[in-house]
């Protein structure tokens, strides 16, 4: 996590309880056509159900031995999604082969071997060789092609069931559904205006939703049928100089904008580990090649992008001749950093957003990333599915997720014949014939041997001299944070303890992610952060994203709990960062309510369900919580990194007893709370009591304090890990 990393940079060790170690025994082998991404999504579902939060996960067995290091890295990188502190494979021949292939010297590879052999740690353990806390078995041959979504990476859906599952979710009125009226899957809507922000087209008013095909097949047997003329189709041809997730296509023609539920509007080959895995990237390129050769195209309303995890990917895609086919389908390389997977998808065409927003269209994004939490990918896109890179290409061609890609065609070729996924899917032999191009050590040495020489723009940036940073009070990107204002070199009062008369700022259900708490993507002009930036003279087109402005606490605190899809149960039926100020009963933004409570001297708490703080570490999810004046978070369970980060920012994490929740207690947000039991000092995981006050009535609710280690007690007493470390530095002779 970022907060732990900041402390480590200042010399503070990272402490945690001795963990349980879960052994995942892998047997068998993946079937032909099953990708590393399919395996990762199956493991994520399996381990999330096994509740491995806070545990170490070690993969072992004959099946683990056969997996290449790139596949192992993809699995390990998903640890935050399945909840483990770490997922790892021991060092073995596959590890050494990876180091050889990526340009490491023979001497270094031998040194790695000798070290692990001397430690008796070389090689993947056999079944039964290690005494794990518990063992989970997975036969690799049972893994099947799949996607995950539409909101969480652990919600795996076999490819054969996606059409049925999406249809069920579209009409479902449950919390996990989209609640659309029956029969709407067949409807299509068209835009009423030209271009981004342009006026309504001449002579036209608002158009009624079209329930007719509007030139498109509303069934799923010809998803790529396109009514446009050849001139209009030119808008789908790639243009150069695409950057940072922006569309690689020319502006759309008006007749292009025809959308319905399930239509794919974003298709992104993205995420560092998936796009650094040569097998799936070569497979994506081969599928694109076969599609182009059959005359298939991507629908113009699909925003496509390719963001490789390494420049070497570009090298081998170009060397094998596959990049040209990806380019022809619109998957131009847009950059090598975090793009769509972190919310940097860039804007959609204005008319696409108009259709989606005005008609509550449940549009879809398909990406090869790790996370698909609500509003993370794009605020207007409600259904987000994780998939392998070749499946991303396939769905971009199909144009809709309500399709059975196993039985139904993606589209029609240039002769009008149906083309199925099986016609395009590359064989294992075809992939292996080309994957060697990704294993040339010289490519890695060339790209990474001289980092400075390969980044002249970075090297040309001016870096001011001096031992301390010169804060610019006019900057809207980097401002001095208030964590040490005021600051005393010694801790005089024993630190924050008793919480009395607190008000709930929000009450949440299960699976509130760090993306809900602190979004990383686009900043809405109407949000508190958008209003702040405009007040500073920043134009809407220059907002950039929360991630880009993470060095400005004024932006980030206003973005805390500002996710457009977050649901505060204090305001039933409303999405977004809204709450009710008490006792006035006024509805307002969470930021404005927090500011008002601060002026009134009222401490704040947040109440939540299971798996609070899932997702990436997102240090601002804890920093923003602290800056809003929230003293404690009471949840049914916590994700490890976020729980640690809350303590690191001086916020008390407390856990309900099993069977107890805000719902079972009948909390509606009008109550006040005292947190008692801390008066005599703090010990790890001690029992505390939440006193719920409703007028003259009181209810005492037992909680467990989730400060788990003695060092975390010290962090909390000091108001957080950063003040603690700074005081340690200040006291050095």
């Amino acid at each position: 996590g970022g907060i732990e990393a900041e402390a480590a940079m200042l010399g503070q060790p990272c402490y945690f309880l001795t963990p349980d170690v879960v052994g995942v025994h892998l047997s068998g082998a993946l079937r032909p056509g099953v990708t590393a991404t399919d395996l990762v999504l199956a493991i994520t579902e399996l381990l999330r159900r096994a509740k491995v939060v806070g545990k170490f996960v070690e993969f072992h067995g004959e099946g683990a031995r056969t997996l290449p290091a790139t596949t192992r890295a993809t699995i390990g990188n998903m640890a935050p999604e399945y909840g483990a502190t770490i997922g790892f494979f021991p060092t073995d021949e596959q590890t050494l082969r990876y180091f050889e292939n990526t340009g490491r010297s023979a001497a270094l590879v031998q040194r790695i071997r000798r070290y692990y052999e001397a430690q008796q740690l070389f090689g993947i353990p056999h079944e039964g060789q290690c005494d794990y806390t518990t063992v989970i078995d997975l036969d690799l041959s049972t893994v099947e092609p799949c996607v995950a979504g539409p909101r969480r990476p652990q919600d795996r859906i076999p490819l054969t069931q996606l059409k049925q599952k999406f249809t069920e979710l579209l009409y479902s009125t449950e919390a996990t559904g989209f609640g659309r009226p029956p029969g709407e899957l067949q409807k299509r809507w068209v835009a009423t205006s030209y271009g981004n922000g342009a006026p309504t087209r001449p002579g036209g008013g608002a158009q009624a939703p079209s329930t007719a095909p509007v030139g498109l097949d509303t069934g799923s047997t010809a998803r790529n049928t396109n009514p446009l003329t050849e001139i209009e189709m030119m808008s789908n041809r790639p243009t150069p100089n695409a950057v940072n997730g922006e569309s690689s296509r020319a502006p759309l023609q008006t007749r292009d904008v025809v959308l319905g539920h399930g239509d794919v509007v974003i298709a992104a080959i993205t995420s560092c580990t998936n796009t650094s895995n040569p097998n799936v990237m070569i497979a994506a390129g081969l599928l694109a090649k076969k599609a182009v050769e059959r005359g298939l195209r991507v629908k113009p309303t699909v925003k496509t992008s390719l963001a490789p995890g390494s420049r070497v990917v570009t090298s081998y895609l170009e060397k094998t001749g596959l990049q040209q086919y990806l380019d022809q389908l619109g998957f131009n390389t847009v950059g090598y950093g975090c793009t769509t997977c972190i919310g940097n998808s860039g804007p959609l065409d204005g008319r696409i957003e108009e259709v989606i927003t005005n008609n509550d269209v449940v549009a879809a994004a398909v990406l090869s990333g790790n996370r698909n939490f609500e509003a993370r990918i794009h605020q207007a896109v409600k259904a987000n599915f994780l998939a392998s890179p070749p499946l991303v290409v396939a769905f971009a061609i199909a144009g809709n997720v309500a399709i059975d890609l196993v039985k139904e065609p993606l589209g029609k070729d240039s002769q009008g014949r149906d083309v199925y996924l099986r016609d395009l899917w590359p064989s294992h032999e075809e992939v292996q014939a080309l994957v060697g191009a990704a294993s040339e050590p010289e490519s890695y040495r060339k790209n990474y041997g001289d980092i400075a020489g390969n980044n002249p723009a970075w090297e040309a940036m001016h870096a001011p001299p001096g031992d301390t940073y010169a804060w610019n009070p006019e900057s809207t990107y980097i401002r001095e944070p208030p964590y040490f204002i005021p600051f005393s070199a010694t801790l005089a009062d024993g630190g924050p303890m008793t919480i009395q008369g607190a008000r709930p700022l929000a009450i949440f259900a299960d699976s509130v992610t760090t993306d809900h708490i602190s979004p990383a993507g686009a900043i809405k002009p109407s949000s508190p952060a958008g209003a702040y930036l405009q007040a500073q003279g920043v134009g809407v087109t220059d907002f950039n994203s929360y991630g880009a402005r993470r060095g400005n606490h004024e932006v980030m605190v206003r973005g805390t709990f500002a996710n457009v899809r977050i649901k505060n149960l204090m305001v039933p039926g409303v999405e977004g960062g809204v709450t009710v100020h008490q006792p006035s009963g006024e509805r307002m933004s969470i930021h404005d309510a927090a500011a008002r409570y601060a002026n009134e001297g009222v401490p704040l708490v947040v109440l939540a369900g299971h798996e609070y703080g899932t997702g990436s570490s997102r240090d601002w999810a804890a920093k923003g919580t602290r800056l809003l004046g929230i003293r404690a978070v009471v949840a049914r369970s916590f994700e490890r990194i976020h729980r640690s980060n809350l303590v690191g920012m001086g916020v008390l994490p407390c856990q309900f007893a099993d069977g107890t929740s805000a719902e079972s207690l009948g909390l509606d947000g009008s109550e006040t709370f005292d947190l008692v039991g801390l008066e005599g000092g703090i010990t790890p995981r001690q029992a505390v009591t939440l006193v719920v006050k409703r007028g003259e009535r009181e209810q005492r609710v037992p909680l467990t304090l989730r400060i788990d280690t003695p060092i975390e007690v010290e962090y909390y007493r000091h108001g957080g890990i950063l003040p603690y470390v700074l005081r340690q530095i200040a006291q050095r002779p």
Side-chain angles (χ1 to χ4, degrees):
I3 294 171
E4 293 169 333
E6 290 168 358
M9 291 168 65
L10 297 173
Q12 180 66 11
C14 182
Y15 296 86
F16 52 87
L17 295 173
T18 303
D20 290 340
V21 181
V22 176
V24 177
H25 175 246
L26 301 180
S27 61
L30 295 176
R31 293 177 291 163
V34 177
T35 67
T37 313
D38 300 321
L39 172 59
V40 166
L41 296 179
I43 287 174
T44 300
E45 177 189 45
L46 178 69
L47 295 184
R48 180 56 74 172
R49 287 180 177 175
K51 301 185 184 303
V52 297
V53 172
K55 301 176 182 179
F56 282 18
V57 173
E58 179 174 358
F59 296 90
H60 66 284
E62 191 60 38
R65 255 186 231 97
T66 64
L67 297 177
T70 50
T71 296
R72 298 176 182 181
T74 313
I75 295 169
N77 196 44
M78 286 290 278
E81 281 62 62
Y82 48 78
T85 299
I86 186 173
F88 67 96
F89 291 77
T91 299
D92 69 346
E93 297 294 346
Q94 294 277 15
T95 317
L96 300 183
R97 187 173 299 118
Y98 173 80
F99 282 126
E100 291 170 351
N101 291 341
T102 53
R104 272 67 172 195
S105 68
L108 173 60
V109 173
Q110 285 304 310
R111 188 155 68 248
I112 295 170
R113 179 192 293 277
R114 289 196 302 270
Y115 172 82
Y116 280 95
E117 287 177 343
Q119 298 294 329
Q120 297 183 5
L121 291 173
F122 189 82
I124 299 285
H126 296 280
E127 181 181 11
Q129 186 175 349
C130 295
D131 184 19
Y132 298 110
T133 305
T134 186
V135 174
I136 299 171
D137 290 296
L138 176 62
D139 183 348
L140 297 181
S141 67
T142 64
V143 178
E144 57 186 313
C146 62
V147 300
R151 296 182 178 90
R152 303 188 305 177
Q154 65 261 41
D155 295 332
R156 187 184 65 89
I157 305 172
L159 196 59
T160 55
Q161 299 176 21
L162 178 58
K163 179 179 181 179
Q164 175 187 346
K165 184 64 175 179
F166 178 80
T167 304
E168 291 173 356
L169 290 171
L170 181 68
Y171 298 137
S172 173
T173 57
E174 300 294 326
T176 55
F178 297 109
R180 305 305 300 140
E184 273 207 353
L185 184 58
Q186 284 69 43
K187 288 187 178 181
R188 293 291 182 269
W189 290 267
V190 296
T192 60
S193 61
Y194 292 108
N196 292 299
T200 302
R201 66 177 172 220
Q207 289 194 358
S210 171
T211 57
V214 195
L216 293 177
D217 182 351
T218 56
S220 54
T221 59
R223 290 289 173 180
N224 201 43
T225 301
N226 197 309
L228 307 180
T229 67
E230 180 57 26
I231 293 177
E232 290 169 320
M233 288 286 284
M234 290 179 66
S235 67
N236 193 30
R237 294 176 182 164
T239 55
N241 302 321
V243 294
N244 290 336
E246 291 292 333
S247 176
S248 57
R249 297 201 180 97
L252 296 170
Q253 302 297 315
T254 302
R255 289 182 59 200
D256 293 356
V257 186
V258 182
L259 291 174
H261 298 307
D263 278 352
V264 178
V265 294
I266 293 176
I269 302 176
T270 180
S271 172
C272 44
T273 49
N274 266 304
T275 58
S276 291
N277 188 322
N279 286 280
V280 292
M281 293 303 294
I282 292 291
L286 285 169
L287 192 147
K289 178 177 184 292
K290 295 184 179 188
V292 170
E293 291 172 344
R294 292 292 297 268
L296 296 177
R297 300 186 63 85
V298 171
K299 206 171 149 186
T301 44
V302 182
K303 183 173 188 177
T304 48
S305 62
L306 166 60
S310 166
R311 293 178 183 271
V312 174
V313 178
T314 297
S315 299
Y316 67 69
L317 286 178
E318 290 178 345
K319 182 176 180 179
T320 56
L322 297 178
Q323 185 63 58
Q324 61 175 311
Y325 300 105
L326 289 164
D327 288 346
Q328 288 182 58
L329 292 180
F331 288 96
N332 303 79
T333 300
V334 297
Y336 297 92
C338 297
T339 56
T340 302
C341 49
I342 192 65
N344 293 334
S345 57
L348 299 174
D349 182 276
R351 289 154 298 163
I352 292 177
E353 291 206 40
E354 171 200 308
V355 174
I356 293 173
T357 303
N358 291 352
N359 303 285
D360 196 18
V361 174
V362 182
V366 184
L367 64 149
S368 60
N370 290 24
R371 300 163 190 132
N372 55 339
F373 304 123
E374 290 184 302
R376 178 185 176 101
I377 309 307
H378 192 284
Q379 293 180 357
V381 182
K382 292 186 176 182
N384 300 281
F385 294 94
L386 306 181
S388 65
L391 278 182
V392 171
V393 177
F395 276 108
I397 295 169
N400 194 286
V401 296
I403 179 175
D404 184 343
L405 287 182
V406 176
K407 296 180 179 179
E408 301 176 29
L410 284 76
K412 294 184 182 294
D413 64 14
S414 53
Q415 279 73 48
R417 297 171 299 188
D418 287 341
V419 180
Y420 293 83
L421 181 62
R422 59 179 176 268
D423 300 328
L424 306 180
W425 198 266
S427 68
H428 175 74
E429 291 73 22
E430 288 175 308
V431 172
Q432 292 308 306
L434 297 178
V435 79
S439 302
E440 296 183 352
E442 188 54 38
S443 294
Y444 292 87
R445 296 188 189 105
K446 178 181 178 181
N447 278 280
Y448 296 106
D450 180 15
I451 295 294
N454 287 335
N455 291 275
W458 176 264
E459 291 300 310
M461 291 179 64
H462 172 68
D467 293 333
T468 58
Y469 184 76
W471 300 101
N472 177 5
E474 304 301 319
S475 175
T476 57
Y477 276 95
I478 303 176
R479 296 176 66 89
E480 183 176 10
Y483 309 131
F484 307 114
I485 304 172
F487 180 78
S488 169
T490 58
L491 183 64
D493 60 1
M497 293 292 178
T498 303
I499 299 175
Q500 292 183 321
R503 289 283 187 181
L505 189 59
I507 302 175
F508 300 118
D510 296 340
S511 297
V512 169
T513 70
T514 48
D515 282 278
H516 286 114
I517 303 168
S518 183
I523 302 171
K524 288 188 68 173
S526 59
S527 69
Y532 164 80
L533 288 173
Q534 291 175 81
Q536 306 305 306
V538 179
V540 173
T541 56
D542 296 323
F543 273 8
N544 213 315
S545 65
Y546 284 110
R549 294 189 181 271
R550 63 189 299 125
N552 184 347
H553 64 280
E554 298 286 4
V555 172
M556 299 305 291
V557 71
R558 287 166 171 79
T560 306
F561 298 113
N563 184 301
V564 297
R565 296 282 173 256
I566 198 169
K567 299 178 181 68
N568 182 358
L569 302 182
M570 292 170 58
V571 194
V574 175
E575 290 185 329
V578 180
T579 192
V580 176
H581 173 269
Q582 297 290 358
S584 70
E586 295 179 43
R587 184 178 295 187
M588 61 185 68
S589 74
I590 283 180
H591 174 265
D592 290 349
R596 186 163 169 180
Y597 281 125
N599 290 333
E600 296 166 349
V602 176
L604 299 172
V605 297
V606 164
L607 301 111
H610 284 298
E611 299 176 355
Y612 184 77
T614 55
S616 53
S617 62
R618 195 65 57 75
D619 55 340
W620 264 107
K623 291 177 177 176
T625 297
R626 166 66 182 271
L627 294 181
L628 283 176
I630 296 167
R631 297 281 303 279
V633 176
V634 184
R636 300 188 72 181
S637 65
F638 290 91
E639 205 74 354
R640 188 207 72 83
I641 296 177
H642 186 60
R643 183 209 63 79
S644 173
N645 281 348
L646 288 174
V647 178
M649 290 308 301
V651 179
L652 282 175
C654 299
Q655 191 161 320
F656 285 116
D658 289 344
T660 303
S661 65
E663 182 181 21
S664 70
L665 296 171
L667 303 179
D668 61 13
S670 61
E671 305 83 2
T672 60
F673 301 92
D674 295 344
L675 189 63
V676 299
L678 304 173
E679 299 79 9
I682 296 177
T683 57
R685 295 211 174 200
Q686 74 180 75
V688 294
T689 301
L690 183 70
V691 181
V692 182
K693 297 182 179 181
R694 301 178 176 92
E696 299 299 319
R697 294 183 297 121
E698 289 189 2
Q699 183 178 7
R700 301 178 72 85
V701 180
L703 305 174
T704 299
L705 181 66
R706 287 302 312 277
I707 290 181
D708 289 353
T709 63
I711 191 63
E712 286 186 341
V713 172
E714 291 304 304
Y715 294 161
Y716 179 73
R717 290 181 60 248
H718 283 261
I721 191 171
L722 298 180
Y724 172 86
V725 172
L726 188 56
R727 289 190 178 107
Q728 301 303 304
I729 294 173
Q731 292 171 11
R732 291 174 186 169

